[in-house]
């Protein structure tokens, strides 16, 4: 296959040119990430699942529609507890009424993950449990009719779009074993987005056709590309390991009573094994998208953003603030709850609960100001947690 200096005959920047004709994107790296998430599922590894978190009407749906018509994709509009595995009896016309076999070896595109988060709690838990099993590649469900026991084995990819309401359900998803990588995108100039959308009125069909054509042309280049032996960088590999350790602690869910807000039990942060594999996989996918033989510093910057995005926006703002203030266990600096609340521009009571959560998962330490019982709390980043932050350069922008 003919290649240019960037490694691909039709590089990602050409796709972005087409998309930018119709869509106002504050962060066009989102296009790299959704392609990378799909390509990462071609590896002989566990599946990679991605959720894009962005405000409503921020172009995420239009970008996902760019995959329409591709044989490697399965578009899903709604989900119920019976979506993946059906209890309907097989017939000659429909020998397998369940959807999972039809999704096998494809990337499922779900344009509105918010619908799952707005379900009744019992349905939501059942759907998320089925998705967890589907991620793990094996689903078994028994029915009390002629369908009997329905079993599926296979592999599916998953890319979904969601709004910031995702963080409201952070504890529910985290407590069930989060299988998702997250990429957060925002917009800073709503007037420009509105102007761009206004220009597209009446041209939506042409816009979608052009974007689909660009997406299809870009993906067609990868059928014969082998990434089974990528170029390795020991320094970057070590940074990804530290980033996974940071994410495992920082995103750990803390269960609180719905009424009293008391912490119900000591949470245990997950091990970093799945995270380090996921972050490496998305990195290799990003390298493919960029036409590179392996993960370099530029690719690592995007991996690092994905790692930060796994942590709720309020937690990451708090950790960044404490890091920027150099409020470390090994130093003499402390910050009060009120100072931190002012620094991240959040209410004091909300900030206090968040600081307590970060303390109980092992990211922070606290003491009373002056050592007296009713004086304000003081907070620092723990040195063992800070080690992951500094090694992964979580809050440093090197590119």
């Amino acid at each position: 296959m003919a290649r240019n200096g960037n490694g691909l005959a039709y590089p990602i920047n050409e796709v972005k040119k087409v998309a930018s004709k119709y869509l106002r994107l504050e962060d066009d790296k989102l296009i790299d990430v959704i392609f990378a998430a799909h390509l990462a599922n071609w590896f002989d590894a566990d599946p990679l699942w991605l959720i894009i978190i962005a405000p409503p009407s921020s172009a995420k749906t239009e970008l996902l529609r760019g995959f329409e018509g591709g044989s490697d994709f399965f578009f899903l509009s709604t989900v119920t507890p019976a979506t993946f595995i059906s209890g309907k009896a097989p017939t000659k016309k429909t020998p397998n009424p369940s959807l999972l076999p039809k999704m096998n070896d494809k990337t499922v595109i779900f344009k509105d993950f918010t619908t799952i988060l707005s379900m009744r709690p019992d349905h939501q838990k059942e759907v998320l449990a089925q998705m967890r099993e589907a991620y793990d590649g094996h689903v078994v469900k028994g029915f009390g009719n002629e369908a009997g026991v329905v079993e599926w084995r296979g592999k599916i990819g998953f890319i979904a779009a969601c709004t910031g309401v995702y963080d409201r359900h952070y504890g529910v998803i985290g407590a069930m074993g989060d299988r998702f990588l997250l990429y957060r995108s925002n917009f800073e100039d709503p007037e420009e987005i509105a102007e761009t959308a206004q220009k597209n009125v009446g041209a939506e069909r042409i816009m979608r056709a052009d974007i689909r054509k660009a997406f299809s042309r870009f993906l067609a280049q990868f059928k014969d590309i082998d990434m089974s032996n990528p170029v390795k960088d020991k320094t970057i590999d070590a940074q990804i390991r530290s980033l996974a350790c940071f994410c495992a602690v920082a995103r750990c869910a803390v269960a609180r009573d719905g009424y009293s807000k008391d912490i119900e039990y000591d949470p245990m942060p997950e091990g970093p094994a799945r995270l380090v594999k996921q972050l490496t996989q998305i990195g290799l996918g990003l390298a493919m998208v960029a036409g590179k033989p392996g993960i370099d510093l530029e690719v690592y910057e995007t991996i690092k953003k994905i790692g930060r995005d796994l942590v709720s926006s309020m937690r990451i703002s708090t950790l960044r603030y404490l890091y920027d203030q150099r409020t470390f266990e090994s130093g003499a600096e402390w910050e009060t709850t009120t100072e931190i609340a002012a620094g991240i521009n959040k209410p004091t009571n909300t900030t206090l609960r968040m600081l307590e959560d970060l303390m109980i998962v092992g990211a922070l330490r606290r003491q009373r100001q002056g050592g007296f019982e009713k004086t304000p709390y003081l907070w620092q980043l723990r040195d063992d947690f800070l080690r992951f932050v500094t090694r992964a350069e979580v809050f440093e922008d090197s590119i």
Side-chain angles (χ1 to χ4, degrees):
M1 177 180 292
R3 295 170 181 259
N4 65 10
N6 291 325
L8 296 170
Y10 187 67
I12 190 64
N13 285 342
E14 294 299 317
V15 181
K16 293 178 181 180
K17 285 179 185 178
V18 174
S20 65
K21 285 171 54 180
Y22 304 104
L23 304 173
R24 169 64 178 168
L25 298 173
E26 295 281 349
D27 175 18
D28 65 9
K29 188 62 71 174
L30 173 58
I31 297 177
D32 302 65
V33 173
I34 61 175
F35 278 118
H38 171 62
L39 293 173
N41 284 297
W42 292 7
F43 305 149
D44 185 16
D46 291 338
L48 190 137
W49 289 15
L50 173 74
I51 296 180
I52 302 158
I53 299 179
S57 299
S58 56
K60 58 187 183 295
T61 300
E62 290 297 348
L63 287 177
L64 292 182
R65 291 185 70 160
F67 294 123
E68 286 181 344
S71 60
D72 291 338
F73 299 92
F74 187 101
F75 276 75
L76 192 61
S77 298
T78 58
V79 173
T80 71
T83 295
F84 298 106
I85 292 290
S86 173
K88 293 181 180 179
T91 64
K92 288 185 179 180
K93 188 175 181 180
T94 312
N96 198 333
S98 298
L99 277 185
L100 274 177
K102 300 169 186 176
M103 300 173 176
N104 210 21
D105 295 325
K106 297 180 185 293
T107 295
V108 174
I109 303 295
F110 189 43
K111 292 181 289 186
D112 190 7
F113 194 80
T114 313
T115 59
I116 294 178
L117 301 181
S118 60
M119 286 179 172
R120 285 169 32 191
D122 53 338
H123 286 179
Q124 182 191 85
K125 288 180 181 179
E126 186 173 355
V127 167
L128 290 173
Q130 289 181 13
M131 293 181 69
R132 180 182 60 195
E133 292 178 343
Y135 176 94
D136 293 339
H138 186 206
V139 180
V140 180
K141 190 170 183 180
F143 298 94
N145 58 16
E146 58 268 37
V149 176
V150 180
E151 183 175 11
W152 170 84
R153 292 182 185 272
K155 177 180 177 179
I156 60 174
F158 187 85
I159 303 175
C162 190
T163 66
V165 74
Y166 181 93
D167 284 340
R168 184 180 178 185
H169 301 266
Y170 188 78
V172 174
I173 296 171
M176 295 189 66
D178 199 336
R179 264 67 172 170
F180 307 112
L181 289 184
L182 305 180
Y183 189 86
R184 299 175 189 267
S185 185
N186 212 331
F187 55 79
E188 297 177 1
D189 194 335
E191 288 187 348
E192 284 195 21
I193 291 176
E195 181 182 357
T196 302
Q198 192 174 47
K199 290 178 182 177
N200 290 331
V201 173
E204 289 89 350
R205 184 176 59 82
I206 295 172
M207 171 189 73
R208 289 163 187 159
D210 283 353
I211 293 175
R212 283 198 303 269
K213 183 178 178 181
F215 275 38
S216 177
R217 182 178 174 186
F218 182 75
L219 283 176
Q221 302 173 104
F222 295 95
K223 295 298 183 183
D224 300 319
I225 292 181
D226 182 10
M227 282 292 285
S228 61
N229 189 28
V231 173
K232 295 277 190 177
D233 185 308
K234 291 182 179 180
T235 300
I236 293 177
D237 284 349
Q239 287 181 305
I240 293 174
R241 293 194 296 271
S242 293
L243 181 62
C245 292
F246 163 83
C247 296
V249 174
R251 77 170 181 176
C252 180
V254 176
R256 287 181 177 267
D257 180 83
Y259 178 73
S260 69
K261 303 303 179 184
D262 289 339
I263 294 172
E264 296 181 326
Y265 61 87
D266 273 342
M268 295 180 64
E270 65 191 291
R274 181 189 295 125
L275 275 167
V276 78
K277 290 194 292 184
Q278 289 175 318
L279 293 171
T280 301
Q281 279 178 254
I282 195 72
L284 292 174
L286 287 164
M288 290 178 70
V289 168
K292 297 178 177 181
I295 299 172
D296 61 11
L297 284 174
E298 185 177 14
V299 170
Y300 177 67
E301 285 299 307
T302 305
I303 298 173
K304 194 163 65 175
K305 172 178 164 39
I306 291 169
R308 290 195 300 260
D309 287 350
L310 290 173
V311 184
S312 71
S313 56
M314 290 181 65
R315 281 193 184 188
I316 208 71
S317 295
T318 301
L319 293 171
R320 183 187 286 273
Y321 173 80
L322 291 171
Y323 179 80
D324 288 344
Q325 297 300 311
R326 295 300 188 260
T327 312
F328 307 150
E329 181 180 356
S330 54
E333 297 297 322
W334 293 82
E335 290 277 321
T336 67
T337 305
T338 302
E339 288 170 336
I340 296 169
I344 64 173
N345 197 30
K346 294 292 184 292
T348 303
N349 287 340
T350 301
T351 303
L352 176 59
R353 283 195 293 270
M354 184 170 46
L355 290 167
E356 289 174 343
D357 288 354
L358 287 169
M359 176 188 69
I360 203 167
V361 300
L364 305 183
R365 64 193 292 258
R366 77 177 183 186
Q367 68 177 28
R368 289 283 191 181
Q369 192 172 43
F372 301 106
E373 183 178 351
K374 294 186 178 181
T375 53
Y377 282 121
L378 300 171
W379 304 89
Q380 286 181 328
L381 287 168
R382 288 174 58 108
D383 282 349
D384 51 358
F385 177 73
L386 177 64
R387 183 174 71 248
F388 303 138
V389 176
T390 54
R391 288 180 179 176
E393 299 181 346
V394 175
F395 299 122
E396 305 291 339
D397 296 321
S398 61
I399 298 296

